[in-house]
Amino acid sequence: MREVEIMQVDIDKPEDDSNSNSSSKKGGSSSGKKSGLLDKSQSASAKSISPDHVRKSSQSQMVSEVSTKLSLKGKSPPEKPPINKRNNKILKKSNTGIVSMKKGKGSKLQNGTEDASESWLGSPDLGPFLLKQARDLVSAGDNPQKALELALRAAKSYELCANEKPNLELVMCLHVTAAIFCSLGQYNEAIPLLEQSIEIPLIEEGQEHALAKFAGYMQLGDTYAMLGELENSITCYTTGLEVQKQVLGETDPRVGEICRYLAEAHVQALQFDEAQRLCQMALDIHRENGSSALLEEAADRRLMGLICETRGDHEAALEHLVLASMSMVANGQEAEVASVDCSIGDAYLSLSRYDEAVFAYQKALTAFKTTKGENHPAIGSVFVRLADLYNRTGKLRESKSYCENALRIYEKPTLGIPPEEIASGLTDVSAIYESMNDLDQAIKLLQKALKIYNDCPGQQSTIAGIEAQIGVMYYMLGNYSESYNSFKGAISKLRACGQRKSAFFGVALNQMGLACVQCYAIHEAVQLFEEAKSILEQELGPYHLDTLVVYSNLAGTYDASGRLDDAIEILEHVVQMREEKLGTATPEVYDEKKRLSELLKEAGRVRSRKARSLETLLDANPHSLNGEGIKV
C-alpha cells in the first residue's frame, strides 16, 4: 500500500521493476478503452453553425472528448479540409517515436539522476494508469505541464508494449497527448503526434481501426485550423470524410454531419461553390433519413442559408432559414431560434424589405433579452443589425444611437464571453462608421478588435482581413505609408495561412500595389499587380471587373516604369474586352480608349484592331462563362 501511495503522489519515483508493476496494477484498469475508441467522432467535431466559426474549448473538455469520444457521430468544431494531398507533407510518417521526440521526458528520477533502465515502462498496466493520472490532472485544471509529462510517459509505455503491432490504445493516448499540447497552445508539437496516430490504425483490421484513423484526421484538421492553415485543415477533414464513408456508407446521418462540418471549413476559406455542394450533400443525406435527422436537417439549412446569402442568392437563403426556424420550433429549440431570426432579418435587409427585417430583429432582441440578459453580446449583435438597417435607410441619428448601445455592451462584456465574439462585434460596428465616412472612429474600433484577435489562436486569416480593411481606410485618408504597412502585414499572413490563391488575396495585392504607387515604389507595384493579375484571372476570369481593374493598374505602372510596349499591349486588351462586354459608349470604355490613344501617340503607333465577324462577337467566350452567364 505504501508503494501504491508513493506512485500516486509522484509517479517519478519507481524503486524497482516489481514495485512499479505492482503499483501500476492498482490504478491501471484498461478495460473499456476499445469501446471508448468508438466514440471519438465528437473529438473532431463539436461545432456550432455560426458565421464566425470560432473554435474554443477548455483544457478538460478537450482532453475528455479525445479520450472518451471516438464514435463516428462526428459533431464538428470550428474549421476544416481536402484529401488529394494524402501523400504530401501533411501525412509524413514520423521516423521518431515518442521517446525521441521528447528526449528523456520521463527518463529522469525526481532527484535528476538518469534512470538506468526503462524496463519499468514496459508494464502493460502502466500506460493506462499514467494516462488516467494525466486526464485527472487536466480535468481538475491542475498543473497541465505535469499532465503533459504523464501523458508522454504513458505514450512511451504503450509504444514499448505494442511490439510493432497496431495498438489502438496507443492511438488514443497520442490523441490525448496532442489535445494537452493544444490546450497549452503548443499546436506545432501536437501535429507530429497526430500524424503518427494516423499511421498506426489499419482500415483492413476492422471498424475500430477505421474509426481511430478517422478521429486522427479530424483532430489533425482542427489543429491545423487553429494554426490558420486552412488548406491543410481542409485536406485532413476531406480524408477523414472518405474514411468515414468507407466504414459507415454514403447515407449514414453521421456522414452528413461531417459533410456539413467540411462545408463550414470551405466557407471559412471563402470557397463557396464547394461549401454549397457539401452542404447540399449533407441536406440530402439527412432528408433521406427522415424524422430521425430533423434537427440535423435544420442545422444544414442554417448553413445553406448563410452560403446563399454570401453568394447573393437572398431569396434561396430566406427559404432555407425560414424552414430551419420552423423545424427548430417544432423540435423544442425555441432558445436557438433567435439567432436564426437574426439571419432571416439579414436576408430581408438584403432584399430591401425593411419592415420585415425590423420585425425579425425585434423578435430576436426580445428573445435574447429573456434568455441571455440585457448586456450579452448577442444583444449587441442585434443592435448592430438595426444600426445598419437605419443607416441604409438614411436615418443616421437612429443608426448612431444603436451603434453606441452596441459599443456599451462590447466595451463592458459579461464574464465568460469569448473574446472573439467581442472583436467580431467591434468590426461590425466599425463597418457602419466607415459607411458614414467616419473613418477615424472606424480605424480605432478595428485596432481594438486587432488587439483582441492577436491573443487568440487560429485567427490569422481574420487578422489579415482586418489589417487589409485598415489599409483601405488609411489609403482613403491619404496616409499611404500606414496603408502600405497594413497591407504588408495582411499579405504576409494570408500567404502563411494558405490563402494565396483566393480572390480576396488578389484584391489585397492590388490595393497594396496602389499604396506602392503613391509611395513611388513603382517596381514593387509592378510585381504586386502582376501577381494579382494571375490570381484573379484564375479565380474570377479575364472579364471580371476586378480583373480588368488590375489590368488597367498594371498598364499604368508599366508606362511609369518605361515599359511602353507592355503598357500598350495590356491597355489594348482592356479596351477590347470592355467594348465587347460594356459597349463603346460607356464612361469606362471612353477613359481607357483615351489613355490608350495617348500611349499610342507617344509611341508613334496606331491601334491594332482584329477583324471580328458578327458570329464571333455573339459567340460566348468559353473562359468567361460558368453556366450562369457573364458577371460584370
Side-chain angles (χ1 to χ4, degrees):
M1 288 299 296
R2 180 173 175 279
E3 291 167 355
V4 171
E5 288 170 1
I6 291 172
M7 178 65 76
Q8 289 175 337
V9 171
D10 189 349
I11 201 64
D12 286 330
K13 291 186 177 178
E15 293 185 5
D16 56 52
D17 292 353
S18 61
N19 288 350
S20 62
N21 289 345
S22 65
S23 62
S24 63
K25 288 176 184 174
K26 175 81 176 176
S29 93
S30 61
S31 61
K33 298 291 184 196
K34 287 188 179 179
S35 62
L37 280 172
L38 293 179
D39 285 344
K40 160 92 186 178
S41 83
Q42 285 166 330
S43 103
S45 39
K47 157 172 215 178
S48 63
I49 303 174
S50 73
D52 299 324
H53 299 327
V54 176
R55 23 177 114 233
K56 198 76 177 162
S57 62
S58 69
Q59 295 179 0
S60 60
Q61 287 173 331
M62 185 180 282
V63 175
S64 63
E65 282 178 9
V66 169
S67 59
T68 61
K69 300 180 182 175
L70 264 204
S71 114
L72 274 189
K73 164 108 181 163
K75 194 72 181 108
S76 16
E79 302 188 302
K80 316 62 182 126
I83 191 173
N84 295 333
K85 298 188 179 176
R86 297 180 202 180
N87 299 323
N88 283 9
K89 342 168 197 178
I90 295 182
L91 305 181
K92 282 185 195 161
K93 182 168 184 178
S94 69
N95 296 324
T96 58
I98 298 296
V99 182
S100 59
M101 279 172 38
K102 291 281 174 189
K103 286 196 174 179
K105 276 273 188 189
S107 64
K108 289 187 179 181
L109 296 175
Q110 194 177 30
N111 62 8
T113 61
E114 292 293 331
D115 188 358
S117 171
E118 291 183 347
S119 61
W120 65 280
L121 286 173
S123 168
D125 293 326
L126 187 60
F129 175 75
L130 292 171
L131 187 59
K132 180 181 182 302
Q133 293 290 313
R135 286 163 49 193
D136 290 345
L137 279 175
V138 173
S139 298
D142 297 333
N143 202 345
Q145 205 63 45
K146 180 67 175 178
L148 177 62
E149 195 173 313
L150 291 171
L152 287 167
R153 290 183 183 181
K156 183 191 291 186
S157 177
Y158 278 123
E159 197 172 54
L160 290 173
C161 296
N163 295 324
E164 298 184 358
K165 295 180 181 178
N167 185 339
L168 294 187
E169 290 189 336
L170 172 59
V171 173
M172 182 183 67
C173 184
L174 292 172
H175 290 172
V176 173
T177 309
I180 297 175
F181 270 125
C182 290
S183 70
L184 294 170
Q186 300 176 31
Y187 301 104
N188 287 316
E189 297 289 337
I191 287 174
L193 299 181
L194 293 171
E195 289 175 341
Q196 183 182 356
S197 76
I198 288 169
E199 297 295 332
I200 295 172
L202 303 174
I203 295 179
E204 56 271 18
E205 291 290 326
Q207 188 180 50
E208 290 188 4
H209 281 258
L211 299 186
K213 187 178 283 285
F214 159 80
Y217 276 118
M218 298 304 289
Q219 192 176 346
L220 181 57
D222 293 344
T223 306
Y224 275 124
M226 294 302 292
L227 289 170
E229 298 182 23
L230 296 184
E231 187 175 348
N232 289 341
S233 175
I234 289 175
T235 300
C236 293
Y237 291 137
T238 306
T239 310
L241 177 61
E242 294 302 317
V243 172
Q244 191 188 43
K245 284 180 180 179
Q246 291 181 40
V247 180
L248 300 179
E250 299 276 342
T251 59
D252 191 281
R254 291 166 289 183
V255 174
E257 291 178 33
I258 299 301
C259 286
R260 184 177 69 245
Y261 192 45
L262 181 52
E264 291 179 8
H266 282 289
V267 167
Q268 191 164 17
L270 306 179
Q271 299 169 358
F272 298 111
D273 290 340
E274 186 64 15
Q276 187 168 19
R277 184 187 70 81
L278 287 162
C279 192
Q280 186 62 53
M281 188 185 301
L283 191 56
D284 293 341
I285 292 172
H286 289 134
R287 275 194 300 208
E288 187 175 327
N289 284 274
S291 58
S292 63
L294 284 177
L295 291 179
E296 297 302 331
E297 182 180 339
D300 297 338
R301 290 194 180 278
R302 288 182 66 182
L303 179 59
M304 186 65 86
L306 172 66
I307 294 169
C308 292
E309 178 76 9
T310 305
R311 301 190 66 180
D313 191 353
H314 307 300
E315 293 284 1
L318 187 59
E319 178 184 350
H320 284 293
L321 292 169
V322 170
L323 289 172
S325 177
M326 293 168 59
S327 178
M328 293 169 73
V329 170
N331 284 277
Q333 285 192 313
E334 289 85 355
E336 299 294 324
V337 173
S339 59
V340 181
D341 287 335
C342 286
S343 299
I344 290 173
D346 294 342
Y348 279 131
L349 181 60
S350 299
L351 293 167
S352 300
R353 294 163 64 174
Y354 300 119
D355 292 339
E356 291 160 294
V358 169
F359 177 78
Y361 291 148
Q362 291 293 352
K363 181 183 173 186
L365 190 61
T366 302
F368 280 140
K369 285 182 177 179
T370 303
T371 58
K372 298 180 181 294
E374 296 283 340
N375 294 316
H376 195 276
I379 307 290
S381 71
V382 181
F383 285 153
V384 171
R385 287 174 162 91
L386 287 166
D388 184 31
L389 185 150
Y390 286 119
N391 182 46
R392 294 191 191 192
T393 55
K395 299 179 180 179
L396 299 184
R397 181 179 300 176
E398 290 88 341
S399 179
K400 285 187 177 181
S401 175
Y402 277 115
C403 283
E404 291 165 1
N405 290 338
L407 287 176
R408 274 194 288 272
I409 292 174
Y410 293 138
E411 288 169 357
K412 295 182 179 179
T414 54
L415 293 176
I417 300 300
E420 298 93 331
E421 194 170 342
I422 304 301
S424 175
L426 292 172
T427 58
D428 292 339
V429 178
S430 170
I432 298 174
Y433 277 111
E434 181 184 357
S435 66
M436 294 178 181
N437 208 30
D438 190 350
L439 299 182
D440 291 327
Q441 176 68 0
I443 290 174
K444 287 179 184 177
L445 293 174
L446 286 181
Q447 288 172 338
K448 286 184 180 179
L450 212 51
K451 289 181 181 178
I452 296 173
Y453 277 127
N454 279 329
D455 296 329
C456 303
Q459 299 292 338
Q460 291 303 300
S461 60
T462 304
I463 293 171
I466 293 175
E467 288 180 336
Q469 190 60 31
I470 291 174
V472 170
M473 286 189 276
Y474 274 133
Y475 189 91
M476 294 167 66
L477 289 170
N479 192 342
Y480 302 119
S481 60
E482 287 295 336
S483 175
Y484 173 82
N485 291 332
S486 295
F487 281 123
K488 187 175 182 179
I491 295 296
S492 64
K493 290 179 178 64
L494 289 171
R495 289 188 196 277
C497 63
Q499 293 197 33
R500 62 183 66 194
K501 294 182 180 179
S502 67
F504 175 73
F505 185 64
V507 172
L509 287 170
N510 179 65
Q511 296 292 334
M512 185 176 175
L514 292 173
C516 287
V517 169
Q518 295 295 336
C519 295
Y520 302 103
I522 303 300
H523 293 294
E524 185 177 357
V526 168
Q527 295 174 358
L528 293 167
F529 288 140
E530 287 176 340
E531 187 177 359
K533 171 179 171 291
S534 64
I535 292 172
L536 294 179
E537 282 177 340
Q538 180 69 30
E539 296 297 316
L540 302 178
Y543 290 94
H544 193 278
L545 180 60
D546 290 339
T547 311
L548 294 176
V549 168
V550 174
Y551 285 153
S552 184
N553 291 339
L554 182 57
T557 51
Y558 279 157
D559 180 26
S561 59
R563 297 169 60 178
L564 195 57
D565 292 338
D566 292 331
I568 291 172
E569 181 182 349
I570 289 183
L571 214 48
E572 283 182 332
H573 181 60
V574 171
V575 170
Q576 180 182 333
M577 286 192 291
R578 286 193 183 276
E579 285 180 341
E580 289 178 7
K581 303 307 169 187
L582 302 177
T584 58
T586 58
E588 293 90 344
V589 175
Y590 176 79
D591 290 340
E592 300 289 11
K593 288 173 70 175
K594 184 177 179 181
R595 288 179 59 196
L596 177 58
S597 63
E598 290 174 356
L599 290 178
L600 290 170
K601 184 178 180 181
E602 182 179 343
R605 293 165 49 186
V606 294
R607 181 183 173 190
S608 59
R609 294 178 178 272
K610 296 180 181 178
R612 297 171 63 85
S613 67
L614 182 60
E615 180 181 357
T616 304
L617 289 171
L618 294 176
D619 189 26
N621 189 306
H623 297 291
S624 62
L625 286 180
N626 231 352
E628 300 175 358
I630 299 168
K631 295 181 181 178
V632 179

